[in-house]
Amino acid sequence: MLVFHYPMQISNLLDAISSGATMIAFAQTAAYEKLNHSHMNPPKSNKPFSMIREFHLADWFTLANALCGMGALFSVMTFLETDNVKHIYIAGGLVLAALFFDVVDGRVARWRQKTSSMGRELDSLADVISFGVAPAIMAYGCGMQGFYDRIVLAYFVACGVSRLARYNVTAEALSEGGDKVKYFEGTPIPTSVMLVCVLTLAAYFDAVQSNLWFGVIEIAGLQLHPLVLLFALSGSLMISRIRIPKL
């Protein structure tokens, strides 16, 4: 039997080749697994405005709602600066336009059968601006600027925010397994449009600022305009447990 004795250099070379082959095989396996992982979990798009590209058609109507609410805020601030009552009319008209877009976005979402958690949150944020903050600022601009008035208006906005938060977390239960909510708990925040109509009507009759309907009363040296109690009533109805069928 012949036994070959390899020189040390050849033995080391063979060991190196064997180790290299093992490393190449390992690298190929890792590359293959990485390729499969990339196919199963494609990377998120890094394109500019990628979030906006993901908006559904209904979301654009929701954004229009929010923009109308912001426009109403700007109009009230302009009224406070110029004392031109036409800006109260504009603010009231923009809140009504916000209501239109709020109704349309829901109908479009059902028509297209495309809804998302982001769309629901976007709708709530827009409603807070247009039907919570905007009516409260309109009331302030029209003359409800006393200490107690501010507390009531802040309470009204807080009720609106709480009402929307409650709806978001209970919508699935209220729908009873269906696609549509059967009823509302508490009055929806867009009902504040009625308060906006009252304020716009008051502006038309020049019943703003010092001429505000029902005047002003003082309690412990601080002012309260009785008309602001409509906002307290509206806010309380929002957070109530009254069931209102959804049309």
Side-chain angles (χ1 to χ4, degrees), residues 66-190:
L67 291 176
C68 287
M70 283 302 304
L73 295 175
F74 292 143
S75 293
V76 174
M77 287 187 281
T78 305
F79 168 71
L80 290 171
E81 183 180 356
T82 64
D83 204 31
N84 189 336
V85 74
K86 76 175 183 180
H87 294 291
I88 293 296
Y89 303 152
I90 294 172
L94 286 170
V95 173
L96 290 175
L99 178 63
F100 168 78
F101 288 119
D102 186 52
V103 172
V104 170
D105 71 358
R107 295 184 181 275
V108 170
R110 288 191 292 273
W111 167 56
R112 301 270 294 181
Q113 295 184 344
K114 288 186 177 181
T115 58
S116 65
S117 298
M118 180 177 178
R120 184 176 62 186
E121 298 303 325
L122 193 66
D123 185 71
S124 294
L125 293 171
D127 285 354
V128 167
I129 297 171
S130 299
F131 309 119
V133 178
I137 296 301
M138 278 189 69
Y140 183 88
C142 287
M144 302 179 206
Q145 300 173 6
F147 176 76
Y148 297 113
D149 298 334
R150 299 180 191 190
I151 293 177
V152 172
L153 294 176
Y155 168 78
F156 166 77
V157 174
C159 288
V161 173
S162 302
R163 164 68 176 75
L164 290 167
R166 182 178 67 184
Y167 174 78
N168 285 350
V169 299
T170 60
E172 185 175 350
L174 292 177
S175 64
E176 298 178 354
D179 296 329
K180 187 177 179 181
V181 172
K182 305 294 184 182
Y183 60 88
F184 293 114
E185 278 193 347
T187 54
I189 191 172

Side-chain angles (χ1 to χ4, degrees), residues 8-24:
M8 184 65 67
Q9 292 85 351
I10 295 176
S11 178
N12 291 341
L13 178 60
L14 291 175
D15 290 341
I17 291 173
S18 177
S19 299
T22 303
M23 292 179 65
I24 291 172

Side-chain angles (χ1 to χ4, degrees), residues 164-236:
L164 290 167
R166 182 178 67 184
Y167 174 78
N168 285 350
V169 299
T170 60
E172 185 175 350
L174 292 177
S175 64
E176 298 178 354
D179 296 329
K180 187 177 179 181
V181 172
K182 305 294 184 182
Y183 60 88
F184 293 114
E185 278 193 347
T187 54
I189 191 172
T191 55
S192 64
V193 167
M194 292 186 290
L195 299 174
V196 170
C197 291
V198 170
L199 296 174
T200 305
L201 191 63
Y204 177 78
F205 288 106
D206 196 30
V208 293
Q209 304 291 349
S210 59
N211 299 324
L212 201 62
W213 286 331
F214 306 116
V216 59
I217 59 177
E218 286 195 3
I219 302 174
L222 301 172
Q223 291 187 338
L224 169 72
H225 291 83
L227 189 61
V228 81
L229 296 179
L230 290 177
F231 284 83
L233 175 62
S234 177
S236 298

Side-chain angles (χ1 to χ4, degrees), residues 22-33:
T22 303
M23 292 179 65
I24 291 172
F26 178 78
Q28 287 177 335
T29 303
Y32 179 75
E33 291 179 353

